[in-house]
Amino acid sequence: MFSKETYTARRKKLAESLSGGLILLPGNEEAPMNYTDNTYHFRQDSTFLYYFGINQASLAGVIDADSGEAMLFGDDYSVEMIVWTGVVPKISSLGEGIGVTNVKSFSSLQTVVSEAISSGRAIHFLNPYRSDILIRLAELLQCNYQAIPEKASLELARVVIAQREIKSSEEIAEIDKAVDITVEMHLAGMRYARPGMRESEVAAKVAEVALAANGNASFPIIATINGQTLHNHYHGNIIKSGDLFLLDAGAETETSYAGDLSSTFPVDPTFTSIQKEIYQLCLDAHMAAVAMLKPGTAFKEVHLTACRTIFEGLKAFGLTKGDTHEAVEAGAHALFFPCGTGHMMGLDIHDMENLGEQWVGYDGVPKSTQFGLKSLRLAKELRPGYVLTIEPGIYFIPDLMDLWKSEKHMEQFLNYTEIEKFRNFGGLRNEEDFLITEEGARRLGKALPLTIEGVEGVRSQ
Ligand code: GLY
Ligand code: MN
């Protein structure tokens, strides 16, 4: 947790930035896995954490945007509960730690909201992503739950985005820490993987590092020999000689800040020669994207640069042809790179994605509907204080190849006979995290080896 002054200043800025009314920020509840008392690892709502900082279930925060006053709602644990949970600080002491003296029982939240509604005040809340919070909001606002998304406050979402997207120095220190742990997770996996192991053994080795650092994984670990499946969470395959292994994993620190890195390495001590060539091309796209990071550059251009590098580079293998600019504009590169070059990162690995990509990544400009480009989560101009990932990849996805080939899709740019030879290649990407600075960009955390020699060096340790 940060100091109470940090949370007080954040809430003050939020209240001042809104036109008025009551800001309602529910914290998350415990989420049952298979019965009520067997819960998933608790994850607090990130916006609640940002303004109220308390990593505990069943709380809500209210900020009066007219008076600037903040209120914390929650109930002290009974001794019967403490028997199971251990001692939990009183709500008044939790409030004190974040500079909130006005603490109330959870049930009094209804009175505060109802009074505000009857006096005609606006109630600002964010569109919920959990159904229990949706139902709670519907009850508080006395409306049908289906009406909640349209009643959610775009004004609040935009103000929260404007505040959270610029990371403060104390947040950056936490993210640096998260990325350092993430680097150790990757090194552990890279050193450990051997032919004959199951993917799950590598995933476990990687997870161990995050847990040992008193945090957690920031998202479900991807540890796979099928890197062409973008979010592949299956860990049941046996790793064999000749495979490429893709690891995409990150740490979440005790303070809930995230790291998110990807690495691709050969299961053998060295890459095969074709793996080397495709890997180098992916790394070239990565470096071309990194070189563009500076304030004022639109991230869409960073992405398109990575796309063009990949499309142009695949010509050497006979897979692509024609004018690279035209091909990328038409979306032909998306056969090999059907997703985006990066995303914001902070308290969430895809930071604030619950507030709407159109605002987080596009400043309200509608997203492209083109296959590939529509999966770009960040397109807007970069500003100092942004934290984002760079993660272009090259993927050979058999189902996508078959579909496009059967439709003769963009045959003027794609040579399906040659592409077919890569059917079993798999997929690869590297990923690093960056802070946009006044001058350009700084990689966050320690360096993870990216070059062919660097990766092979770790594999032979
Ligand atoms: N690391 C997973 C993702 O960025 O979606
Ligand atoms: Mn990522």
Side-chain angles (χ1 to χ4, degrees):
M1 254 176 101
F2 300 124
S3 70
K4 69 170 88 167
E5 287 75 24
T6 290
Y7 298 107
T8 304
R10 287 175 177 177
R11 291 190 300 266
K12 180 169 183 286
K13 187 166 177 194
L14 177 64
E16 285 169 359
S17 308
L18 222 72
S19 57
L22 223 53
I23 303 164
L24 171 56
L25 297 173
N28 275 340
E29 295 295 330
E30 294 282 5
M33 274 197 294
N34 47 349
Y35 53 91
T36 308
D37 279 351
N38 196 25
T39 58
Y40 289 105
H41 158 73
F42 176 71
R43 180 54 161 81
Q44 185 57 284
D45 174 74
S46 295
T47 302
F48 181 86
L49 267 183
Y50 186 82
Y51 294 105
F52 287 87
I54 307 167
N55 193 12
Q56 191 175 301
S58 305
L59 299 170
V62 166
I63 302 166
D64 188 319
D66 298 301
S67 70
E69 189 189 19
M71 288 165 260
L72 177 67
F73 295 83
D75 297 318
D76 287 335
Y77 280 33
S78 66
V79 173
E80 282 199 24
M81 289 163 78
I82 286 172
V83 166
W84 294 93
T85 61
V87 177
V88 174
K90 299 255 186 252
I91 300 297
S92 56
S93 130
L94 291 172
E96 217 170 280
I98 54 163
V100 177
T101 49
N102 196 350
V103 296
K104 295 171 185 291
S105 69
F106 204 90
S107 61
S108 53
L109 179 59
Q110 183 68 69
T111 314
V112 169
V113 171
S114 298
E115 276 174 12
I117 293 172
S118 44
S119 48
R121 301 185 69 197
I123 310 286
H124 296 277
F125 60 90
L126 300 168
N127 198 8
Y129 51 91
R130 287 193 180 188
S131 47
D132 54 351
I133 303 296
L134 178 87
I135 292 167
R136 168 162 300 152
L137 286 168
E139 281 172 1
L140 285 168
L141 299 166
Q142 301 285 293
C143 68
N144 190 299
Y145 73 90
Q146 285 162 322
I148 289 295
E150 74 205 33
K151 283 180 183 279
S153 169
L154 179 59
E155 186 190 354
L156 176 62
R158 293 186 62 182
V159 167
V160 169
I161 292 166
Q163 217 177 329
R164 280 183 56 190
E165 72 181 1
I166 307 293
K167 271 57 178 182
S168 67
S169 52
E170 58 189 350
E171 289 185 285
I172 293 161
E174 285 302 309
I175 299 171
D176 263 322
K177 240 187 262 174
V179 182
D180 279 346
I181 301 164
T182 302
V183 168
E184 293 303 328
M185 291 166 78
H186 280 257
L187 289 173
M190 289 168 82
R191 289 182 186 127
Y192 188 66
R194 290 288 179 273
M197 282 182 180
R198 204 181 289 281
E199 294 163 329
S200 57
E201 295 175 63
V202 182
K205 205 70 186 166
V206 170
E208 180 191 337
V209 177
L211 295 175
N214 201 23
N216 223 301
S218 51
F219 59 95
I221 290 169
I222 297 170
T224 181
I225 51 172
N226 288 313
Q228 74 281 4
T229 303
L230 301 178
H231 281 176
N232 192 344
H233 297 130
Y234 179 71
H235 296 151
N237 294 306
I238 301 294
I239 306 167
K240 357 172 256 316
S241 167
D243 285 338
L244 274 179
F245 197 98
L246 193 151
L247 187 58
D248 184 349
E252 181 175 275
T253 60
E254 222 183 328
T255 52
S256 302
Y257 282 87
D260 179 13
L261 300 175
S262 299
S263 50
T264 305
F265 56 87
V267 165
D268 297 317
T270 55
F271 290 101
T272 65
S273 63
I274 187 66
Q275 284 172 348
K276 246 184 216 174
E277 289 180 67
I278 301 288
Y279 183 95
Q280 186 58 49
L281 174 57
C282 189
L283 190 55
D284 291 346
H286 187 100
M287 292 310 180
V290 171
M292 290 181 71
L293 295 178
K294 64 170 173 22
T297 300
F299 197 76
K300 185 175 176 185
E301 286 311 312
V302 176
H303 171 68
L304 292 175
T305 298
C307 297
R308 287 192 283 262
T309 307
I310 289 169
F311 188 90
E312 181 65 23
L314 290 175
K315 285 181 183 171
F317 302 88
L319 308 193
T320 55
K321 57 190 174 182
D323 182 85
T324 292
H325 274 82
E326 278 175 31
V328 168
E329 196 163 324
H333 65 280
L335 178 61
F336 314 103
F337 181 26
C339 50
T341 293
H343 51 82
M344 295 278 209
M345 192 185 80
L347 281 165
D348 310 297
I349 70 142
H350 292 180
D351 208 27
M352 302 175 283
E353 201 159 284
N354 63 308
L355 305 184
E357 265 178 15
Q358 194 180 336
W359 291 99
V360 176
Y362 286 76
D363 271 344
V365 175
K367 288 177 73 174
S368 168
T369 55
Q370 185 186 72
F371 179 73
L373 201 51
K374 72 178 176 188
S375 299
L376 177 63
R377 301 176 197 277
L378 174 62
K380 65 188 184 185
E381 262 187 31
L382 301 177
R383 295 175 56 202
Y386 281 13
V387 166
L388 49 85
T389 68
I390 291 291
E391 49 179 311
I394 301 178
Y395 309 101
F396 294 91
I397 306 166
D399 291 272
L400 186 60
M401 285 157 53
D402 291 345
L403 178 69
W404 280 31
K405 187 179 176 188
S406 72
E407 292 172 343
K408 301 187 190 316
H409 193 46
M410 284 192 264
E411 271 190 328
Q412 69 275 36
F413 299 122
L414 299 167
N415 184 350
Y416 287 109
T417 311
E418 293 305 311
I419 290 168
E420 182 59 29
K421 296 177 186 166
F422 284 77
R423 170 171 289 272
N424 298 317
F425 183 90
L428 50 81
R429 74 172 161 276
N430 286 307
E431 178 175 12
E432 293 182 299
D433 306 324
F434 289 89
L435 166 72
I436 304 300
T437 61
E438 296 291 340
E439 304 77 35
R442 168 173 84 75
R443 191 200 61 241
L444 290 155
K446 296 184 281 197
L448 183 64
L450 290 186
T451 61
I452 289 167
E453 302 71 39
V455 171
E456 290 182 346
V458 177
R459 288 297 292 143
S460 53
Q461 277 173 11

